Amino acid sequence: TPESAERTAVPGVATGLAVTGAGGDVLFVEAAAMESEHGGLELTGQLGDVMKESAQIALSYLRANAERLGVPIEDLTHRRVHVHFPAGAVPKDGPSAGVTLTTALASLLTGRLVRAEIGMTGEVSLTGRVLPIGGVKQKLLAAHRAGLTEVIIPARNGPDLDDLPEDVLAQLTVHQVSDVADVLRIALEPAAGAATKAA
Amino acid sequence: TPESAERTAVPGVATGLAVTGAGGDVLFVEAAAMESEHGGLELTGQLGDVMKESAQIALSYLRANAERLGVPIEDLTHRRVHVHFPAGAVPKDGPSAGVTLTTALASLLTGRLVRAEIGMTGEVSLTGRVLPIGGVKQKLLAAHRAGLTEVIIPARNGPDLDDLPEDVLAQLTVHQVSDVADVLRIALEPAAGAATKAA
Amino acid sequence: TPESAERTAVPGVATGLAVTGAGGDVLFVEAAAMESEHGGLELTGQLGDVMKESAQIALSYLRANAERLGVPIEDLTHRRVHVHFPAGAVPKDGPSAGVTLTTALASLLTGRLVRAEIGMTGEVSLTGRVLPIGGVKQKLLAAHRAGLTEVIIPARNGPDLDDLPEDVLAQLTVHQVSDVADVLRIALEPAAGAATKAA
Amino acid sequence: TPESAERTAVPGVATGLAVTGAGGDVLFVEAAAMESEHGGLELTGQLGDVMKESAQIALSYLRANAERLGVPIEDLTHRRVHVHFPAGAVPKDGPSAGVTLTTALASLLTGRLVRAEIGMTGEVSLTGRVLPIGGVKQKLLAAHRAGLTEVIIPARNGPDLDDLPEDVLAQLTVHQVSDVADVLRIALEPAAGAATKAA
Amino acid sequence: TPESAERTAVPGVATGLAVTGAGGDVLFVEAAAMESEHGGLELTGQLGDVMKESAQIALSYLRANAERLGVPIEDLTHRRVHVHFPAGAVPKDGPSAGVTLTTALASLLTGRLVRAEIGMTGEVSLTGRVLPIGGVKQKLLAAHRAGLTEVIIPARNGPDLDDLPEDVLAQLTVHQVSDVADVLRIALEPAAGAATKAA
Amino acid sequence: TPESAERTAVPGVATGLAVTGAGGDVLFVEAAAMESEHGGLELTGQLGDVMKESAQIALSYLRANAERLGVPIEDLTHRRVHVHFPAGAVPKDGPSAGVTLTTALASLLTGRLVRAEIGMTGEVSLTGRVLPIGGVKQKLLAAHRAGLTEVIIPARNGPDLDDLPEDVLAQLTVHQVSDVADVLRIALEPAAGAATKAA
Ligand SMILES: [Ca+2]
Ligand SMILES: [Ca+2]
Ligand SMILES: [Ca+2]
Ligand SMILES: [Ca+2]
Ligand SMILES: [Ca+2]
Ligand SMILES: [Ca+2]
Ligand SMILES: [Ca+2]
Ligand SMILES: [Ca+2]
Ligand SMILES: [Ca+2]
Ligand SMILES: [Ca+2]
Ligand SMILES: [Ca+2]
Ligand SMILES: [Ca+2]
């Protein structure tokens, strides 16, 4: 999928799946960090309250579990994080971008790219549980249309896969997860220096 | 009860009992802490004003009574506390999560797990009084359905137990409390190193 | 009165008198303090604007007159004060809790308990004047019903005592005050170490 | 006038004149200061926007002209000023308390009492100009009824004096001012140590 | 014109021209500065959003161009600036006070008085461009009525001068400007020490 | 085009293209910086929420990519940035000023002027992607009318060029871009000292 390849070519961008008025769609979450006297989280993209809370939860989860996840988070007291959902004029809401937000932030903070062929959806709780969301059928059809070959969905949404045509499912690797740490394991490329280190 | 066992397997999570449009239900309160230049309390889960105040009260109670309760609270001037109520898109309100909030925060700050088989409900005042709440019947039926075997309710709600079927009551250990310090004594597992220390 | 004895058994709690939809009632004001980088006043209990201002006035009065009143207030630049009015879900408003707020805060800051048998009502101005309020009849009947034996009312409300049945008045000691310093003198127990010191 | 004598017996209180639904009335402005990490202005008494701005203007005027007026203002960066208008539940608005606010604050900061027999009304601009207000007739009748013997009004309101009965005017000393520095000169008692110093 | 002479007799006051419901009018912008831990801009006079933004723009223009304009602006990080538009109870809005705001602030910061015989109107952009405004005819008639002899208007409003009676124009010196630096050059008196320095 | 030449004669000003009720129009974005204790972004010009977010995105993009773009951004922790859209009283909204905002800020921070003959439109994402916008036909007609000879549009808006008359297109150089770094390369003049350095 050319678009997601181009978009995820820098750390801090992850590919999400959403339901809009016109069916399912692929959307991109962008995260950037900058020096600042104080830490903080800046959110743009005409986000509703639930989606803003999802971003707070994603950042808190990473900060509270930084050591275990291998995410270097210490310097967030003097770095400000900005998360944006293009397109900027389209209102967006809901909890289902939780896994995408967590992945984009983990990518930003570790410098590891998000795999371009993968799209994802799922609510995340503060302890990292992946909770079920709606619109699985439309989201996976949109992922397929956009040329993605792997998708991550909440384990509790497994039954929704029955609603998808068999030929679509045959072309998608579907990961069913219940812990967002597994999302990071599946979606993030190895660290740039990893191969070298192993050598 | 598999779900509460899984959810309360990390410090900072307590099992509450609530009344929703569809009867009683089990809900989980999640708390996490992270390094921060300033202390502070971050609340998510689409909480109403009364529930936000319950969280402020729970934290103030623990800070003002830290020494007596054995809760290490000193470092809260440089740690930020985040409390989340999943599911993130469902609006929630009311004072009855007071005991659950206090327990989740005490668990987070002491590192002691909350016992998985226990659910709780009750308003908490700033001095730690446990005040009566509504919906005891639906809440205890929900606890029973969810496989919990012990529940904590306010002492002043004792008369409401008459409304429950005898077979349900026979399978539930009901703790009637008037001081939230008793809730903590009942609901928290011993500290991890306690047995060792005693040896 | 068992309830007020139990509630006022810790410093920082005073017994107020209020008018509700269902006549007069006894309510408790709870205050607690905690270490904090910055001072500040935290208010909970679904308070209206006038009642929030009453709490600001009470705290300012004590800070501006600390030395004269013997209230140790210096450390309030690094202690945060939380005032709560149970029950948490019931909206409350009006200026008549001014004396109760001032007494609860003075109790908290001096460590002197509030006398359990006493209830009070009255607006307080920034210079400590006790101003008249409404509902004296219902409030004193409620105090009597709750087993309180002493009440404090504004001097300017003296004429309202005519509306009360003689047998109720016969069982109540009524203090009519115009300066909140007199309220503190009447309502606070001696300091714990006072007898010892005198010995 | 007994009430204003009692109210203005401490520094920081000045007697204003207002128009209410029930004609003119006497009101008191109370100011207090307290130690604080940061300076700031706290306003209570259910004040409207215009009245809140009047308080900001009064404080800025005194700070910007402190040296010329002999008002010790340096320590306001570490003292917080609280201004209250009793009664606390009555909404109040309008610019005409400007001179009263300036006088109360100057009294607080210099420790000089406000003369008990004097009432005042007038808008104040940031450079200390006294601007005309409405309701002069009702305000002076109220001052007279309350037993005040001197009043301060804006010079531009001079023509309004024609509306008052001659016998009332005969018992009132009316000061017509255009600069708020003159209000302070007329309304403030000499400093407590002034006579001693002169001896 | 007696009023503007009196009002502009201190640094920080400039004479503006406005359109009100009753035709054109002269208004005064007052600025004052005071010591403060933090810089900042305080606005009073019941200003609308556009007028508040005009004040922010005026201050930013002076800060960004301080050196070129000879305005000593360094100490604004520890001085607070207050701008007030009397009369305090009259709501005001619109961008046309931009030149007046910039001139009042420059007068305050340099200590140079604003010339008493001059009135002005015009929007100012962040780079100091003077942009056209409405109501030139009413504003100049008001200036003439108030006894002002010079006015400053935006160059792009030149054509509006045709609407004025010849005898009024004959008595007014009209400055047409496109850069607010020219407004400052025309409207500010020389620095108090300038003649001495030149001697 | 005389106006844009005059407006863009200082660093920090870029020429945008907008659609208004009356068709397309040219607008100018002005940016200025000033010393401040804290960094921060100040926005004026009656901007809507989406446009305010565009300014946050532009500044975050430049801060996060400062080194790669050659934009000296370090000192933004002690410099405050103000962005203004004249005319001040006209409400403005939408994401299509993203490229203009980014260019004006880059001009301000590098001191390089924006080329006077160039107008631009396009949404910018946080990673610098240039996203499509509406109104290309009206915007390019307005650019042509205003005497601009070059325009920058999003690459994805290429098809919209078919709607323009051939003679207009013949007189405009149209740059189609997908990365805002290309906008900066096209629109900014070389640094003032660049030729000297090369010599
Ligand atoms: Ca798409
Ligand atoms: Ca959603
Ligand atoms: Ca459930
Ligand atoms: Ca509830
Ligand atoms: Ca009661
Ligand atoms: Ca009341
Ligand atoms: Ca009165
Ligand atoms: Ca008034
Ligand atoms: Ca006038
Ligand atoms: Ca205007
Ligand atoms: Ca134009
Ligand atoms: Ca737009």
Side-chain angles (χ1 to χ4, degrees):
Chain A
T1 162
E3 186 171 14
S4 73
E6 200 179 343
R7 301 292 281 259
T8 62
V10 290
V13 182
T15 307
L17 305 175
V19 174
T20 70
D25 201 1
V26 166
L27 66 76
F28 300 94
V29 176
E30 300 179 324
M34 62 218 77
E35 296 299 315
S36 167
E37 273 195 286
H38 303 287
L41 179 58
E42 193 170 1
L43 299 170
T44 52
Q46 295 299 296
L47 310 187
D49 286 347
V50 174
M51 203 172 233
K52 285 179 181 165
E53 290 192 351
S54 292
Q56 291 177 264
I57 294 164
L59 189 56
S60 288
Y61 168 77
L62 291 172
R63 294 182 82 165
N65 297 277
E67 199 166 353
R68 183 166 66 81
L69 297 168
V71 174
I73 207 100
E74 307 81 43
D75 54 1
L76 279 187
T77 49
H78 290 93
R79 286 174 88 199
R80 183 179 181 70
V81 172
H82 185 154
V83 175
H84 177 61
F85 283 74
V90 181
K92 307 163 196 83
D93 207 355
S96 75
V99 293
T100 325
L101 278 157
T102 309
T103 303
L105 286 167
S107 166
L108 175 75
L109 295 166
T110 59
R112 294 165 60 186
L113 294 176
V114 179
R115 291 176 53 222
E117 61 271 32
I118 207 159
M120 63 190 75
T121 182
E123 179 174 346
V124 177
S125 87
L126 187 58
T127 56
R129 312 280 314 163
V130 178
L131 304 178
I133 44 75
V136 167
K137 182 182 174 185
Q138 297 101 305
K139 289 173 176 176
L140 265 57
L141 289 175
H144 181 253
R145 271 198 313 273
L148 299 173
T149 55
E150 292 188 34
V151 291
I152 301 176
I153 65 170
R156 289 207 217 155
N157 281 110
D160 296 331
L161 295 173
D162 298 343
D163 303 335
L164 282 150
E166 292 209 356
D167 63 318
V168 169
L169 276 183
Q171 297 173 56
L172 283 176
T173 304
V174 180
H175 303 273
Q176 302 184 37
V177 299
S178 60
D179 185 328
V180 76
D182 293 324
V183 177
L184 302 184
R185 208 156 20 238
I186 295 165
L188 294 178
E189 300 273 6
T196 310
K197 271 188 184 161
Chain B
T1 163
E3 185 172 14
S4 73
E6 198 179 345
R7 300 292 280 260
T8 61
V10 291
V13 182
T15 307
L17 306 174
V19 176
T20 69
D25 201 1
V26 166
L27 66 76
F28 300 94
V29 175
E30 301 179 323
M34 62 217 77
E35 296 298 315
S36 167
E37 272 195 287
H38 303 287
L41 180 57
E42 193 170 2
L43 299 170
T44 52
Q46 295 299 297
L47 311 187
D49 286 347
V50 174
M51 203 172 233
K52 285 178 182 166
E53 290 191 352
S54 292
Q56 291 177 263
I57 294 164
L59 189 57
S60 288
Y61 168 77
L62 292 172
R63 296 182 81 165
N65 297 278
E67 200 167 350
R68 182 166 67 82
L69 296 168
V71 174
I73 206 101
E74 308 79 42
D75 54 1
L76 280 187
T77 49
H78 291 93
R79 285 174 88 201
R80 182 179 182 70
V81 172
H82 185 155
V83 175
H84 178 60
F85 284 74
V90 182
K92 306 162 197 84
D93 207 356
S96 74
V99 294
T100 325
L101 278 157
T102 310
T103 303
L105 286 167
S107 166
L108 175 75
L109 295 166
T110 59
R112 293 165 60 187
L113 294 177
V114 179
R115 292 176 52 222
E117 60 272 31
I118 207 159
M120 63 191 75
T121 181
E123 178 174 346
V124 177
S125 87
L126 187 57
T127 56
R129 313 279 313 161
V130 177
L131 304 179
I133 44 75
V136 167
K137 182 182 174 185
Q138 297 101 306
K139 288 172 177 177
L140 266 56
L141 290 176
H144 181 253
R145 271 199 313 274
L148 299 174
T149 56
E150 291 187 35
V151 292
I152 301 175
I153 65 170
R156 288 207 218 157
N157 282 109
D160 296 331
L161 294 173
D162 298 343
D163 303 335
L164 281 150
E166 293 210 355
D167 63 319
V168 169
L169 276 182
Q171 298 174 56
L172 283 176
T173 304
V174 180
H175 303 274
Q176 301 184 37
V177 299
S178 59
D179 185 329
V180 75
D182 293 324
V183 177
L184 303 184
R185 207 153 23 233
I186 295 165
L188 293 179
E189 300 272 8
T196 310
K197 271 187 184 163
Chain C
T1 163
E3 186 172 13
S4 73
E6 198 179 344
R7 300 292 279 260
T8 61
V10 291
V13 183
T15 308
L17 305 173
V19 176
T20 69
D25 201 1
V26 165
L27 65 76
F28 301 94
V29 175
E30 302 178 322
M34 62 218 76
E35 296 297 315
S36 167
E37 273 194 287
H38 303 287
L41 180 57
E42 193 170 0
L43 300 170
T44 52
Q46 296 299 298
L47 311 186
D49 286 347
V50 174
M51 203 171 234
K52 284 178 182 166
E53 290 192 351
S54 292
Q56 291 177 264
I57 293 164
L59 189 57
S60 288
Y61 167 77
L62 292 172
R63 297 181 79 165
N65 298 277
E67 199 167 351
R68 182 167 67 80
L69 296 168
V71 175
I73 205 101
E74 308 79 41
D75 54 2
L76 280 186
T77 48
H78 290 93
R79 285 175 88 202
R80 182 179 182 71
V81 172
H82 185 155
V83 175
H84 177 61
F85 284 73
V90 182
K92 306 163 196 85
D93 206 357
S96 75
V99 294
T100 324
L101 278 157
T102 310
T103 303
L105 286 167
S107 166
L108 174 75
L109 295 166
T110 59
R112 294 166 59 187
L113 294 176
V114 179
R115 292 177 52 222
E117 60 273 30
I118 207 158
M120 63 191 76
T121 181
E123 178 174 346
V124 177
S125 87
L126 187 57
T127 57
R129 312 280 314 160
V130 176
L131 304 179
I133 44 74
V136 167
K137 182 182 174 184
Q138 298 103 305
K139 288 173 177 177
L140 266 57
L141 289 175
H144 181 252
R145 271 199 312 274
L148 299 173
T149 56
E150 292 186 36
V151 293
I152 301 176
I153 66 170
R156 289 207 217 156
N157 281 108
D160 296 332
L161 294 173
D162 298 343
D163 304 335
L164 281 150
E166 292 210 355
D167 63 320
V168 170
L169 276 183
Q171 298 174 55
L172 281 176
T173 304
V174 180
H175 303 274
Q176 302 184 37
V177 300
S178 59
D179 186 328
V180 76
D182 293 323
V183 178
L184 302 184
R185 206 151 27 231
I186 296 165
L188 293 179
E189 301 273 8
T196 311
K197 269 187 185 164
Chain D
T1 162
E3 186 172 13
S4 73
E6 199 179 343
R7 301 292 281 260
T8 61
V10 291
V13 182
T15 308
L17 305 174
V19 176
T20 69
D25 200 0
V26 165
L27 64 78
F28 300 94
V29 175
E30 303 178 322
M34 61 218 77
E35 297 297 316
S36 167
E37 274 195 287
H38 303 287
L41 180 57
E42 194 170 358
L43 299 170
T44 52
Q46 295 299 297
L47 311 186
D49 286 347
V50 173
M51 203 171 234
K52 284 179 182 166
E53 290 192 351
S54 292
Q56 291 177 264
I57 293 164
L59 189 57
S60 288
Y61 167 77
L62 291 173
R63 297 182 80 164
N65 297 278
E67 199 167 351
R68 182 166 67 80
L69 297 168
V71 175
I73 205 100
E74 308 78 43
D75 54 2
L76 280 187
T77 48
H78 290 92
R79 286 175 88 201
R80 182 179 181 70
V81 172
H82 185 155
V83 175
H84 177 61
F85 283 74
V90 182
K92 306 164 195 83
D93 206 357
S96 74
V99 294
T100 324
L101 279 157
T102 309
T103 303
L105 287 167
S107 166
L108 174 75
L109 295 166
T110 60
R112 294 165 60 186
L113 294 175
V114 179
R115 292 177 50 222
E117 60 272 31
I118 206 158
M120 63 191 77
T121 182
E123 178 174 346
V124 177
S125 88
L126 186 58
T127 57
R129 312 281 312 162
V130 178
L131 304 179
I133 44 73
V136 167
K137 183 183 173 183
Q138 297 102 304
K139 288 172 177 177
L140 266 57
L141 289 175
H144 181 252
R145 271 199 311 275
L148 299 174
T149 56
E150 291 187 36
V151 293
I152 301 175
I153 65 169
R156 289 205 217 160
N157 282 109
D160 296 333
L161 295 174
D162 298 343
D163 303 336
L164 281 150
E166 292 211 354
D167 62 320
V168 169
L169 276 183
Q171 298 173 56
L172 282 176
T173 303
V174 180
H175 303 274
Q176 302 184 36
V177 300
S178 59
D179 186 329
V180 77
D182 293 323
V183 178
L184 302 184
R185 206 152 26 231
I186 294 165
L188 293 179
E189 300 273 8
T196 311
K197 269 187 185 161
Chain E
T1 162
E3 186 173 12
S4 73
E6 200 179 342
R7 301 292 281 259
T8 61
V10 291
V13 182
T15 308
L17 305 174
V19 176
T20 69
D25 200 0
V26 165
L27 64 78
F28 300 94
V29 176
E30 302 178 323
M34 62 217 77
E35 297 298 314
S36 167
E37 274 195 287
H38 303 288
L41 180 58
E42 195 171 358
L43 299 170
T44 52
Q46 295 299 297
L47 310 187
D49 286 346
V50 173
M51 203 172 234
K52 285 179 182 164
E53 290 191 351
S54 292
Q56 291 177 264
I57 294 164
L59 189 57
S60 288
Y61 168 77
L62 291 173
R63 296 182 80 164
N65 298 278
E67 199 168 352
R68 183 165 67 79
L69 297 168
V71 175
I73 207 98
E74 307 79 43
D75 54 2
L76 280 187
T77 48
H78 290 92
R79 285 175 88 202
R80 182 178 181 71
V81 172
H82 185 155
V83 174
H84 177 60
F85 284 73
V90 182
K92 305 162 198 83
D93 206 356
S96 75
V99 293
T100 324
L101 279 157
T102 309
T103 302
L105 286 168
S107 167
L108 174 75
L109 295 166
T110 60
R112 294 166 60 186
L113 294 175
V114 179
R115 292 176 52 221
E117 62 271 30
I118 207 159
M120 64 191 76
T121 182
E123 178 174 347
V124 177
S125 88
L126 186 58
T127 56
R129 311 282 312 162
V130 178
L131 304 180
I133 44 75
V136 168
K137 183 182 173 183
Q138 297 102 305
K139 288 173 177 177
L140 265 57
L141 289 175
H144 181 252
R145 272 198 311 275
L148 299 173
T149 55
E150 292 187 35
V151 292
I152 300 175
I153 64 170
R156 288 205 218 159
N157 282 109
D160 295 333
L161 294 174
D162 298 343
D163 303 336
L164 281 150
E166 292 211 354
D167 63 321
V168 170
L169 276 183
Q171 297 173 56
L172 282 175
T173 303
V174 180
H175 303 274
Q176 302 184 36
V177 301
S178 58
D179 186 329
V180 77
D182 293 323
V183 177
L184 302 183
R185 210 159 14 239
I186 295 165
L188 293 178
E189 300 273 7
T196 311
K197 269 187 185 162
Chain F
T1 161
E3 186 172 12
S4 72
E6 202 179 342
R7 301 292 280 260
T8 61
V10 291
V13 182
T15 308
L17 305 174
V19 175
T20 70
D25 201 0
V26 165
L27 66 77
F28 300 93
V29 176
E30 301 179 323
M34 62 217 77
E35 297 299 315
S36 166
E37 275 195 286
H38 303 288
L41 180 58
E42 194 170 359
L43 299 171
T44 52
Q46 295 298 296
L47 310 187
D49 286 347
V50 173
M51 203 173 233
K52 285 179 181 165
E53 290 192 352
S54 292
Q56 291 177 265
I57 295 164
L59 190 56
S60 288
Y61 168 77
L62 290 173
R63 295 182 81 163
N65 298 276
E67 199 166 352
R68 182 165 67 80
L69 296 169
V71 175
I73 207 98
E74 307 80 42
D75 55 1
L76 279 187
T77 49
H78 290 91
R79 286 175 88 201
R80 184 178 180 70
V81 171
H82 185 155
V83 175
H84 178 60
F85 284 73
V90 182
K92 306 163 197 83
D93 206 355
S96 75
V99 293
T100 325
L101 279 157
T102 309
T103 303
L105 286 167
S107 168
L108 175 75
L109 295 166
T110 59
R112 295 165 59 185
L113 294 175
V114 179
R115 291 176 53 221
E117 62 271 32
I118 208 160
M120 63 191 75
T121 182
E123 178 174 346
V124 176
S125 86
L126 187 58
T127 56
R129 312 283 311 163
V130 177
L131 305 179
I133 44 76
V136 167
K137 182 182 173 185
Q138 297 101 303
K139 288 172 176 177
L140 265 59
L141 288 176
H144 181 253
R145 272 198 311 274
L148 299 173
T149 55
E150 292 188 33
V151 293
I152 301 176
I153 65 170
R156 288 206 218 157
N157 282 110
D160 295 332
L161 294 174
D162 298 344
D163 302 336
L164 282 150
E166 292 210 354
D167 63 319
V168 169
L169 277 183
Q171 297 174 55
L172 283 176
T173 303
V174 180
H175 303 273
Q176 303 184 36
V177 301
S178 59
D179 185 329
V180 76
D182 293 325
V183 177
L184 303 184
R185 211 159 14 240
I186 295 165
L188 293 179
E189 300 273 6
T196 311
K197 270 190 184 160

